[in-house]
Amino acid sequence: MIIQSMSVVVPTKNRCINDCEFCCSKTHTNDYEDRFKDKKSEDYLLYKSDLRRRFDYARIHGVDTIILTGTGEALQNIPFILMVDEILKEMNNPFPRIEIQTTGVLLTDVNLHMLRQVGVSTISLSISDIFDDKSNSSIIGIHPKLQFNLDELCKTIKSYGFNLRLSLNMTDVYNNVQRPGTFFERFGELDADQITFREMYYSGNNTKEDQWVKDHLVREDLMEEIKFYIKDQGKAQYPLPFGAIVYSIHKMSTVVDDDCMDSKSEEINDILKYLILRENGKLYTDWGDVGTLIF
């Protein structure tokens, strides 16, 4: 079995500090018990052992990338991240690539230093308007005290030696962009290393988040223009297991992800886009389906 990566869901005991209009997590019920407790808990060592066995499973199956993510911001639970770091060090750091997916909130100097210490090499910023900080904050629902200047944040991230990936949520906020090159000029200003154009997902559960996505879809012709521009101006490098091609363009690694939740393909094969390590310490293959339990 080929597995591209493992998403590690960092438990968030309270609600996410953001309030994204399109939040995927809100479109599903969370049926996974949060077993993470502090070190004084009787269950702490057992939970840690359960996580270790799932990391072992991923390693045996050739996974080389883990992604810290969550139904909230991963940095809302730093003790959990530090526990994962303990496990990986006990395993002699079997995953060479450790990433964190975030909107950018809570990326303080203290937290950036901590992320470097635990081996994170790539910070993937989920951005909803790369041209306007106020618009970006509004769509993501960032609290006024946590709002940030994207240019300054990207500069700080790079100063710590992280790889910077910009993951663009492609909505109608970009419908007035007249040419694909405008995006790449902006990426260059932010000194990005990697780019993902992420087409939006809706669950089909008729939630208000689903409706928001349907009402704010990016122009189809713009996405086609972006794809053509990447193929025309870039150089194909290699395919990802789930089919997308990585291109080198303007000194940046670029991918168009039209299935971020891995929900479109019904073909049964030996390729998994990712494993998902949930809050209960168990492995799954689908974000919204407890029936995809591995063990």
Side-chain angles (χ1 to χ4, degrees):
M1 182 183 296
I2 299 173
I3 305 171
Q4 182 177 325
S5 64
M6 180 166 72
S7 293
V8 178
V9 180
V10 179
T12 305
K13 293 187 181 302
N14 300 313
R15 65 179 296 273
C16 179
I17 54 177
N18 300 320
D19 190 17
C20 295
E21 297 279 9
F22 51 82
C23 179
C24 297
S25 297
K26 294 178 185 175
T27 64
H28 302 283
T29 58
N30 191 336
D31 299 314
Y32 309 93
E33 177 190 2
D34 177 3
R35 288 181 53 207
F36 178 71
K37 306 292 189 299
D38 61 40
K39 290 187 177 182
K40 297 179 181 179
S41 168
E42 293 181 1
D43 190 47
Y44 180 83
L45 291 179
L46 180 59
Y47 181 54
K48 184 177 177 182
S49 174
D50 288 342
L51 293 180
R52 165 68 187 264
R53 290 193 293 134
R54 273 68 180 185
F55 282 119
D56 278 332
Y57 179 90
R59 176 178 58 179
I60 291 169
H61 284 82
V63 173
D64 65 0
T65 303
I66 63 172
I67 303 169
L68 300 173
T69 184
T71 57
E73 283 285 342
L75 285 168
Q76 288 181 245
N77 194 343
I78 292 175
F80 178 87
I81 294 175
L82 295 177
M83 182 180 72
V84 169
D85 180 50
E86 288 179 5
I87 295 171
L88 298 184
K89 283 183 168 61
E90 291 169 2
M91 298 173 65
N92 196 28
N93 296 316
F95 306 103
R97 294 193 294 185
I98 303 176
E99 305 179 357
I100 187 168
Q101 182 74 42
T102 174
T103 61
V105 299
L106 303 181
L107 286 179
T108 63
D109 283 294
V110 171
N111 286 341
L112 287 168
H113 178 74
M114 179 273 297
L115 291 173
R116 282 288 282 165
Q117 295 303 306
V118 302
V120 171
S121 57
T122 298
I123 292 181
S124 180
L125 289 182
S126 180
I127 302 171
S128 294
D129 192 337
I130 200 168
F131 301 109
D132 188 318
D133 288 339
K134 289 184 178 180
S135 172
N136 183 57
S137 295
S138 176
I139 296 170
I140 297 174
I142 302 176
H143 190 280
K145 292 183 178 180
L146 297 176
Q147 293 177 11
F148 53 84
N149 178 282
L150 183 59
D151 292 77
E152 293 178 359
L153 178 60
C154 290
K155 183 177 180 180
T156 301
I157 289 170
K158 293 300 295 282
S159 73
Y160 277 87
F162 292 103
N163 300 319
L164 173 61
R165 179 184 304 129
L166 303 178
S167 297
L168 269 66
N169 301 312
M170 298 303 294
T171 70
D172 61 350
V173 74
Y174 297 123
N175 279 353
N176 291 328
V177 176
Q178 297 302 310
R179 57 188 183 86
T182 302
F183 288 101
F184 287 91
E185 290 165 6
R186 180 63 174 141
F187 301 153
E189 293 174 355
L190 297 174
D191 197 20
D193 300 295
Q194 299 175 325
I195 306 299
T196 298
F197 290 93
R198 182 188 297 150
E199 296 190 41
M200 301 303 292
Y201 162 86
Y202 53 89
S203 68
N205 292 332
N206 296 318
T207 66
K208 68 174 184 178
E209 290 77 24
D210 287 329
Q211 190 59 51
W212 190 93
V213 171
K214 292 178 182 179
D215 292 341
H216 294 83
L217 291 174
V218 69
R219 295 184 353 243
E220 289 186 13
D221 61 308
L222 177 58
M223 286 305 306
E224 291 306 312
E225 289 170 8
I226 290 171
K227 293 174 184 177
F228 178 82
Y229 181 87
I230 293 170
K231 292 178 181 179
D232 183 62
Q233 298 292 316
K235 183 178 180 181
Q237 297 300 304
Y238 54 90
L240 295 172
F242 63 93
I245 305 296
V246 177
Y247 286 83
S248 173
I249 176 171
H250 306 320
K251 300 181 180 180
M252 289 171 276
S253 174
T254 305
V255 174
V256 175
D257 184 0
D258 64 354
D259 191 14
C260 65
M261 295 294 284
D262 196 24
S263 61
K264 292 182 179 179
S265 176
E266 295 184 358
E267 181 181 353
I268 303 300
N269 52 44
D270 62 349
I271 297 174
L272 278 178
K273 190 172 183 180
Y274 42 58
L275 298 171
I276 306 164
L277 182 58
R278 297 296 313 216
E279 301 94 321
N280 60 4
K282 298 182 180 182
L283 274 180
Y284 300 82
T285 63
D286 187 286
W287 283 97
D289 187 350
V290 296
T292 64
L293 173 70
I294 297 178
F295 84 105

